[in-house]
Amino acid sequence: MCIGACTSLIYRESISRGSKGVIKLSEYRLEMHNIVKTFPGVKALDGAQLRLRPGTVHALMGENGAGKSTLMKCMFGIYHMEEGELIYEGEKVQINGPLDALNRGIAMVHQELQPIPERSIGENIYVGRYPMKKYGPVEVIDHDKMYEDAARVLEEVHLNFDPKAKLGSLSVSQMQLVEIAKAVSADCKVLILDEPTSSLTSAEVEALFTIINELRSKGVSIVYISHKMDEILRISDEVTIMRDGQYIGTWSAKELTTDFIITKMVGRELSELYPVRENVPGEVVFEVEDFTSINPKSFRQISFQLHKGEILGVAGLVGAQRTELMEGLFGLRSHTTGKITYKGQEIKISQPKDAINNGIAMLTEDRRATGILGVLSIADNVSIASLNQYLIGKVMLDDAKIEKLVQENVAKLSIKTPSSKTQIQALSGGNQQKVLISRWLANDPEVFIMDEPTRGIDVGAKYEIYCIIAEMAKQGKSIIMISSEMSELIGMSDRIMVMCDGRVTGFIDGKEANQENIMALATQFE
């Protein structure tokens, strides 16, 4: 039965594996029918549907641009849908913004985090709905109650964080867990999780699944958006698949296989998850010796070599300082000691401009915070790192050449966009990532550092990016690829460098790599 005031709505559906709407006789807490949402030049949702039962995990799947996040933003009140209806606990309702959704018991953890890093964890959890108290004739925030409640919520979701600590002191993955705590604090009946494990380690994923199972047992309806097939098949009860903004069908998770899901998502079969690589690593082109951070708690005494045409994977758990190391090599972080040799010559990198001038590119881990320029167009985002190549008389940009560059990359990377003038923030996460890769490809780098290049990207788009990486390596470009997905590292790397607690603990040949020997090195603490 539904929890609280939930009114039962019963639908009789067929249980044929190939038909649409394949779910058993049941009750629904929330339903979305025939949802239509358009943006300039794009019909993002075209008759989309979703039905959620209480006490279940409902996976929502589809390629980037399929409309998953857009549908959820309609449910959460961020977007206003042009057509369709939303029925919540038996009544047709209109959600007038996120605060209205939260007050109704609908919470959402977004794929792209929106933290306030200079405020405390407690303030981030209760932002917009602080507990208040009377202070003379006025109301003020009751900080004592806020931090007391925040501590209770953090404990409830098994997070050992000080609620008074600045949110900015946490890693991206820890911030993501705080966002989940924020949703739980709203005492929600419906919880939307949009790519919740995109930056979590295996241990953190297990902790999240424990929280999800506890919420499910309390009757919470959970929408789980992810591109990770093993997670979907493990945690979900039902799976709804979307494609090009349309509803494809809903199935019991127990009936599904990875191949079936992929076929329904992309409308075609993918025979291989990783492309055949034809690169042949050659001479050493990039060498790092005794590289040590100015921060004593970060990377230290790092040494490695990168060969021409090589894909060097970088593995490690959260806290291994992989991202910090790469940011140091790109000039985003300071170091005390260390030597960088590029094509036999020692180079000095103290800022990103130095790295770029030496043919080094970096795709950052958090595309929203350090990647995209959200209010600028796709053309601006693609060309920003190579504008000096598109000048007329050194004073004016050659718009025609920039437009040609953009169109070539839109075609090559299959970027879904109405035009080159579209703001990048209007694109799906996967298409944003493709634009960022285009930015650096336009600069023709010799060394390409990629930090979580397929984070939050669907299986079809992942394969396309893998093909781009493989083609770059075949052409003699050298790739450093950080990934939290071991299968990705194993499937794409010629060698894997493993880090633990700021140190390099070993190297593994790509052909000999497996989860066991990677984890053995990733947990080799001093």
Side-chain angles (χ1 to χ4, degrees):
M1 295 293 292
C2 268
I3 306 293
C6 180
T7 302
S8 299
L9 290 180
I10 302 178
Y11 293 82
R12 296 185 180 275
E13 308 283 353
S14 65
I15 309 181
S16 168
R17 181 183 179 91
S19 64
K20 293 185 177 183
V22 185
I23 40 184
K24 298 178 181 179
L25 179 69
S26 62
E27 303 169 343
Y28 300 100
R29 168 167 287 150
L30 185 147
E31 299 172 74
M32 302 183 79
H33 297 293
N34 302 316
I35 308 300
V36 173
K37 175 63 183 175
T38 58
F39 297 103
V42 176
K43 197 168 191 177
L45 297 175
D46 184 10
Q49 301 180 45
L50 186 69
R51 294 169 180 161
L52 304 179
R53 293 188 294 124
T56 61
V57 176
H58 196 117
L60 183 58
M61 303 193 71
E63 290 190 278
N64 286 105
K68 308 181 299 297
S69 294
T70 301
L71 184 63
M72 292 302 95
K73 288 176 180 178
C74 288
M75 182 193 294
F76 195 56
I78 296 174
Y79 292 154
H80 173 71
M81 54 196 186
E82 285 98 39
E83 297 179 29
E85 62 179 11
L86 193 157
I87 299 173
Y88 182 53
E89 296 194 326
E91 296 182 2
K92 183 177 178 179
V93 300
Q94 180 175 322
I95 307 295
N96 299 309
L99 187 57
D100 183 22
L102 284 170
N103 290 336
R104 293 175 185 271
I106 302 172
M108 182 173 182
V109 177
H110 298 268
Q111 175 183 355
E112 304 292 352
L113 302 182
Q114 300 181 30
I116 310 173
E118 292 304 311
R119 307 308 299 177
S120 69
I121 293 173
E123 288 171 310
N124 273 270
I125 289 176
Y126 287 101
V127 64
R129 51 192 182 93
Y130 298 116
M132 307 298 289
K133 66 178 180 180
K134 286 285 186 180
Y135 189 78
V138 297
E139 275 194 329
V140 297
I141 297 174
D142 189 340
H143 285 89
D144 290 339
K145 177 172 173 53
M146 180 184 71
Y147 286 123
E148 180 182 328
D149 290 348
R152 175 183 53 79
V153 170
L154 290 169
E155 183 179 358
E156 184 178 344
V157 295
H158 315 293
L159 297 179
N160 186 28
F161 299 152
D162 179 0
K164 295 182 180 180
K166 278 188 178 182
L167 187 73
S169 65
L170 304 182
S171 66
V172 173
S173 65
Q174 290 171 329
M175 288 183 190
Q176 202 158 20
L177 294 172
V178 169
E179 281 293 306
I180 293 167
K182 178 179 178 179
V184 171
S185 73
D187 195 24
C188 58
K189 297 177 183 178
V190 174
L191 174 59
I192 305 163
L193 298 175
D194 193 350
E195 296 287 351
T197 65
S198 58
S199 62
L200 302 187
T201 64
S202 298
E204 288 168 331
V205 170
E206 292 302 319
L208 173 62
F209 282 2
T210 298
I211 296 168
I212 289 174
N213 285 326
E214 290 174 356
L215 293 172
R216 174 164 46 188
S217 68
K218 294 177 182 178
V220 177
S221 304
I222 299 169
V223 181
Y224 192 92
I225 301 177
S226 177
H227 298 303
K228 299 179 179 179
M229 299 294 176
D230 55 337
E231 292 180 3
I232 291 296
L233 295 177
R234 176 183 168 191
I235 196 67
S236 59
D237 300 296
E238 295 172 350
V239 178
T240 288
I241 297 175
M242 298 178 64
R243 186 168 67 240
D244 297 328
Q246 297 182 330
Y247 173 76
I248 299 302
T250 301
W251 295 266
S252 168
K254 294 179 180 178
E255 300 175 359
L256 302 182
T257 64
T258 297
D259 289 343
F260 181 81
I261 293 173
I262 291 173
T263 300
K264 291 297 180 182
M265 280 174 54
V266 303
R268 63 189 187 279
E269 294 190 14
L270 294 180
S271 58
E272 299 290 342
L273 291 178
Y274 303 99
V276 175
R277 299 203 315 276
E278 300 175 2
N279 60 308
V280 180
E283 70 276 10
V284 174
V285 293
F286 187 79
E287 185 169 6
V288 177
E289 299 176 67
D290 196 32
F291 203 64
T292 300
S293 172
I294 196 170
N295 180 356
K297 295 183 180 180
S298 189
F299 57 86
R300 56 195 184 277
Q301 298 176 318
I302 302 294
S303 297
F304 68 90
Q305 294 179 333
L306 178 67
H307 297 258
K308 181 180 177 66
E310 179 183 35
I311 302 173
L312 176 66
V314 183
L317 305 178
V318 168
Q321 304 296 305
R322 298 170 299 166
T323 292
E324 290 78 3
L325 168 62
M326 296 307 154
E327 289 178 346
L329 294 174
F330 195 64
L332 290 168
R333 292 177 184 265
S334 300
H335 62 280
T336 55
T337 64
K339 177 181 176 182
I340 302 175
T341 303
Y342 178 61
K343 293 186 175 180
Q345 298 292 322
E346 183 177 355
I347 60 173
K348 301 293 184 182
I349 298 177
S350 57
Q351 56 183 330
K353 183 179 179 180
D354 300 330
I356 294 170
N357 289 339
N358 280 288
I360 302 170
M362 182 172 180
L363 185 72
T364 57
E365 175 187 20
D366 190 342
R367 61 176 167 263
R368 185 182 183 88
T370 56
I372 67 168
L373 303 170
V375 298
L376 297 185
S377 69
I378 292 170
D380 292 332
N381 274 272
V382 169
S383 61
I384 192 69
S386 53
L387 288 177
N388 61 327
Q389 301 175 32
Y390 301 97
L391 293 175
I392 300 175
K394 298 184 179 180
V395 294
M396 187 170 65
L397 290 174
D398 190 331
D399 291 332
K401 284 188 177 180
I402 291 176
E403 180 64 19
K404 181 181 178 182
L405 166 73
V406 174
Q407 293 304 324
E408 287 174 352
N409 279 280
V410 165
K412 183 164 57 177
L413 275 71
S414 301
I415 299 171
K416 296 179 181 178
T417 177
S419 78
S420 63
K421 305 303 180 185
T422 302
Q423 287 187 350
I424 191 173
Q425 64 185 4
L427 303 186
S428 68
N431 283 302
Q432 289 178 6
Q433 192 78 322
K434 290 180 183 180
V435 171
L436 294 181
I437 292 174
S438 298
R439 172 190 297 173
W440 293 115
L441 290 179
N443 219 32
D444 195 24
E446 292 295 324
V447 175
F448 202 151
I449 301 170
M450 294 183 160
D451 195 348
E452 303 288 358
T454 65
R455 178 187 174 199
I457 293 178
D458 65 78
V459 64
K462 276 186 177 183
Y463 186 82
E464 292 170 354
I465 290 177
Y466 294 150
C467 289
I468 293 167
I469 294 173
E471 181 61 26
M472 288 177 65
K474 180 182 176 181
Q475 294 174 1
K477 309 296 185 184
S478 304
I479 316 294
I480 300 176
M481 185 180 73
I482 298 176
S483 177
S484 297
E485 295 188 36
M486 286 198 193
S487 58
E488 184 171 88
L489 287 172
I490 295 168
M492 288 297 297
S493 302
D494 296 300
R495 282 188 306 142
I496 298 175
M497 179 173 78
V498 187
M499 294 182 64
C500 177
D501 194 29
R503 301 170 297 110
V504 172
T505 52
F507 295 85
I508 305 172
D509 185 278
K511 296 177 181 178
E512 299 174 357
N514 55 53
Q515 294 195 18
E516 288 73 21
N517 55 25
I518 292 175
M519 281 301 296
L521 291 173
T523 55
Q524 196 175 95
F525 293 90
E526 286 184 328

Short mmCIF file of all heavy atoms in Angstrom, two decimals, residues 3 14 19 51 129 193 221 223 229 263 487-488 502:
data_model
loop_
_atom_site.label_atom_id
_atom_site.label_comp_id
_atom_site.label_asym_id
_atom_site.label_seq_id
_atom_site.Cartn_x
_atom_site.Cartn_y
_atom_site.Cartn_z
N ILE A 3 2.24 4.90 1.25
CA ILE A 3 2.47 5.49 2.55
C ILE A 3 1.62 6.75 2.68
O ILE A 3 1.44 7.51 1.76
CB ILE A 3 3.95 5.85 2.72
CG1 ILE A 3 4.83 4.62 2.46
CG2 ILE A 3 4.22 6.43 4.10
CD1 ILE A 3 4.68 3.54 3.47
N SER A 14 0.11 -5.19 -19.89
CA SER A 14 0.58 -6.47 -20.36
C SER A 14 1.96 -6.75 -19.80
O SER A 14 2.64 -5.85 -19.35
CB SER A 14 0.64 -6.46 -21.90
OG SER A 14 1.60 -5.53 -22.33
N SER A 19 6.69 -5.37 -25.39
CA SER A 19 5.67 -4.34 -25.50
C SER A 19 5.96 -3.17 -24.59
O SER A 19 6.75 -3.26 -23.66
CB SER A 19 4.30 -4.92 -25.14
OG SER A 19 4.29 -5.33 -23.78
N ARG A 51 5.86 6.16 -14.49
CA ARG A 51 4.96 5.80 -13.39
C ARG A 51 5.79 5.19 -12.27
O ARG A 51 6.54 4.24 -12.48
CB ARG A 51 3.91 4.79 -13.86
CG ARG A 51 2.93 5.35 -14.90
CD ARG A 51 2.11 4.23 -15.50
NE ARG A 51 1.17 4.74 -16.48
CZ ARG A 51 0.59 4.00 -17.40
NH1 ARG A 51 0.87 2.71 -17.47
NH2 ARG A 51 -0.26 4.52 -18.24
N ARG A 129 15.60 26.76 3.09
CA ARG A 129 14.59 26.27 4.04
C ARG A 129 15.19 26.16 5.45
O ARG A 129 14.98 25.17 6.15
CB ARG A 129 14.00 24.94 3.57
CG ARG A 129 15.05 23.91 3.23
CD ARG A 129 14.47 22.71 2.50
NE ARG A 129 15.52 21.74 2.24
CZ ARG A 129 15.83 20.72 3.06
NH1 ARG A 129 15.12 20.54 4.15
NH2 ARG A 129 16.80 19.90 2.77
N LEU A 193 17.55 10.58 -8.30
CA LEU A 193 19.01 10.51 -8.26
C LEU A 193 19.52 10.50 -9.70
O LEU A 193 19.40 9.50 -10.40
CB LEU A 193 19.48 9.25 -7.51
CG LEU A 193 19.07 9.15 -6.05
CD1 LEU A 193 19.48 7.79 -5.47
CD2 LEU A 193 19.69 10.27 -5.22
N SER A 221 9.78 6.32 -3.11
CA SER A 221 9.89 6.01 -4.54
C SER A 221 11.16 6.67 -5.07
O SER A 221 11.31 7.88 -4.94
CB SER A 221 8.68 6.54 -5.30
OG SER A 221 7.47 6.03 -4.76
N VAL A 223 13.79 7.42 -8.25
CA VAL A 223 14.12 7.42 -9.68
C VAL A 223 15.64 7.42 -9.77
O VAL A 223 16.30 8.30 -9.22
CB VAL A 223 13.56 8.65 -10.40
CG1 VAL A 223 13.92 8.58 -11.89
CG2 VAL A 223 12.06 8.74 -10.22
N MET A 229 25.40 -0.15 -16.33
CA MET A 229 24.47 -1.27 -16.46
C MET A 229 24.46 -2.18 -15.23
O MET A 229 23.41 -2.65 -14.80
CB MET A 229 24.83 -2.09 -17.71
CG MET A 229 24.75 -1.32 -19.01
SD MET A 229 23.07 -0.82 -19.41
CE MET A 229 23.38 0.14 -20.88
N THR A 263 20.26 -2.09 -26.78
CA THR A 263 19.53 -2.10 -28.04
C THR A 263 18.33 -1.15 -27.98
O THR A 263 18.07 -0.39 -28.93
CB THR A 263 19.05 -3.52 -28.39
OG1 THR A 263 20.18 -4.38 -28.50
CG2 THR A 263 18.27 -3.53 -29.69
N SER A 487 36.68 -1.15 -15.55
CA SER A 487 36.48 -1.78 -16.85
C SER A 487 36.94 -0.87 -17.98
O SER A 487 37.49 -1.32 -18.98
CB SER A 487 35.00 -2.15 -17.03
OG SER A 487 34.18 -0.99 -16.93
N GLU A 488 36.74 0.44 -17.80
CA GLU A 488 37.17 1.42 -18.79
C GLU A 488 38.69 1.48 -18.88
O GLU A 488 39.27 1.51 -19.96
CB GLU A 488 36.59 2.79 -18.42
CG GLU A 488 36.88 3.89 -19.40
CD GLU A 488 36.08 5.14 -19.06
OE1 GLU A 488 36.57 5.97 -18.26
OE2 GLU A 488 34.96 5.27 -19.59
N GLY A 502 48.48 9.79 -2.70
CA GLY A 502 49.42 10.76 -3.24
C GLY A 502 50.70 10.20 -3.82
O GLY A 502 51.58 10.95 -4.23
#
